[in-house]
């Protein structure tokens, strides 16, 4: 039998030592892992468990089959058995009942997917509901994902008169849609719901019933029938009904359009004092309109909830609004998007350059209202000269990350002036990270090898093609 021990501190190498030799060298100080106190044993297991629900399903099974001691310990940890899953084709109610029994009174998470309902869907969903209904009293999370609507009807009709006193997370999405509207817990006790994910057609009842939400995701499969002004009004309504909301993600399918388009006839800006993350996976016009109508003093990011390490761009047309009202004073990371037409695959727009110049004239004033900004990305922007971004040496004193993604009209010498200007300015953080993403057949910035070499000596400079748009700054945080 062998044991694996780490090598010298700081090294990635490992050595394998026979356990018998280790026992001789350590004498009476050696401790077999099975002799560790139960609390320490469980702590190690909890650290080893993956956060992904799929891996959590396998972890208790694996550890409970190692040896008799591990099995005894695993059966004592009720939280190990608290994820009840119905997302495979075969509905294994015996396993579900066994895990529910082992979970004791621990809060449970129940996941129901589409695969069990490819045939005999109604008998299967009734069988599932007979298993889980007696345990709703300690259900903390219920996710019903992409099921046929007739299945969702059975589930939520059963929940209409039920009570779930500890339910915090609820998700509902269906494969098809009619005018049916689910109304769970209408006659029972309303749970303390904090996290809700629903389709927009279901939202009326939920937003009236559950007003203490902290996280909301709304899906709309077709936005082409509504105007941007209607969607602005909708977002205002959601925020007014949910004063404690911290994370809002809206996913409306719609055409991608030019980020320069300036929305008109917007209502007066609405202020929400709790929202920290806002993800608007919508067309550019809708995103610009919605953001131009909001004051969010605590928002920190505009991430893509489908890929949390990607930022959704704010159109340059919003710089004027940001200059006038400073709506995002605690923003930590920002992506400014120019015209999509800068991509070599999109038709050139002859009026783009003038609009860009007009919008960029507000850049310094807009960024002066984001004093906490640490990361700034420019995406598909025609700068029209180094002078356009020279203000970065005078604003955003905490800025450390600068990303130039498929942009034109600036040079490395201009960026060098920004780096040197920030180093000379008292109270300013120096730029520490520079990321340049360019199409390999049209690379211009990094052709200045001399200046690029100097920048690499002064900070962490990296050049990559634009295929990977991951925001490395956001990767340091739990942005979801």
């Amino acid at each position: 039998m062998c044991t694996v021990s780490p090598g010298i501190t700081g090294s990635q190498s490992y050595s394998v030592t026979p356990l018998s030799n280790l026992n001789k060298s350590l004498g009476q100080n050696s401790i077999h892992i099975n002799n560790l106190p139960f609390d320490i044993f469980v702590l190690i297991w909890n650290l080893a468990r993956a956060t992904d629900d799929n891996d959590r399903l396998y972890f208790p099974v694996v550890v409970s089959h190692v040896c008799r001691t591990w099995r005894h310990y695993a059966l004592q940890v009720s939280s190990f058995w608290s994820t009840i899953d119905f997302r495979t084709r075969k509905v294994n109610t015996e396993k579900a009942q066994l895990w529910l029994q082992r979970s004791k009174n621990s809060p449970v998470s129940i996941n129901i997917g589409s695969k069990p309902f490819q045939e005999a869907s109604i008998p299967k969903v009734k069988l599932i509901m007979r298993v889980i209904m007696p345990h709703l009293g300690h259900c903390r999370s219920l996710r019903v994902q992409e099921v046929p609507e007739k299945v969702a009807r059975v589930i939520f009709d059963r929940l209409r008169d039920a009570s779930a006193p500890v339910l915090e997370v609820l998700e509902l999405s269906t494969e098809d849609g009619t005018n049916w509207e689910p109304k769970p817990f209408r006659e029972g006790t309303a749970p303390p719901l904090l996290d809700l994910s629903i389709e927009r057609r279901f939202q009326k009842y939920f937003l009236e019933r559950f007003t203490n939400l902290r996280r909301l995701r709304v899906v709309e499969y077709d936005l082409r029938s509504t105007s941007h002004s209607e969607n602005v009004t909708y977002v205002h309504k959601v925020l007014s009904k949910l004063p404690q909301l911290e994370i809002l993600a809206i996913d409306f399918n719609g055409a991608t359009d030019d980020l320069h388009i300036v929305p008109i006839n917007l209502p007066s800006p609405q202020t929400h004092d709790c929202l920290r993350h806002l993800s608007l996976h919508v067309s550019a016009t809708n995103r610009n309109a919605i953001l131009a109508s909001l004051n969010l003093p605590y928002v920190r990011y505009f991430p893509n909830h489908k890929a949390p390490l990607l930022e959704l761009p704010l159109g340059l047309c919003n710089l004027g609004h940001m200059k006038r009202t400073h709506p995002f004073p605690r923003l930590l990371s920002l992506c400014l998007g120019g015209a999509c037409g800068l991509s070599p695959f999109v038709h050139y727009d002859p009026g783009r350059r003038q609009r860009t110049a007009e919008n960029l004239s507000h850049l310094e004033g807009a960024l002066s209202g984001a004093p906490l900004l640490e990361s700034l990305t420019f995406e598909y922007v025609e700068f029209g000269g180094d002078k356009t971004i020279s203000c970065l040496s005078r604003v955003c004193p905490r800025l450390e990350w600068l990303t130039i993604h498929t942009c034109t009209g600036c040079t490395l010498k201009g960026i060098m002036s920004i780096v040197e200007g920030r180093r000379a300015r008292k109270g300013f953080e120096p730029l520490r990270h520079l990321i340049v993403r360019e199409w390999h057949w049209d690379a211009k910035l990094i052709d200045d090898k001399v200046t690029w070499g100097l920048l690499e000596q002064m900070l962490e400079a990296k050049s990559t093609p634009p295929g990977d748009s991951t925001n490395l700054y956001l990767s340091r945080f739990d942005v979801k």
Side-chain angles (χ1 to χ4, degrees), residues 453-469:
L454 292 173
L455 285 169
E456 286 182 314
Q457 295 175 20
M458 299 175 68
L459 44 72
E460 183 180 337
K462 183 180 298 185
S463 172
T464 66
D468 180 12
S469 299

Side-chain angles (χ1 to χ4, degrees), residues 315-345:
L316 296 179
C317 62
N318 277 50
L319 290 175
H321 166 65
M322 292 179 64
K323 177 183 178 180
R324 291 188 298 271
T325 63
H326 292 172
F328 317 123
R330 287 177 174 81
L331 203 62
L332 297 181
S333 184
L334 174 64
C335 176
L336 291 173
C340 300
L342 269 185
S343 167
F345 306 113

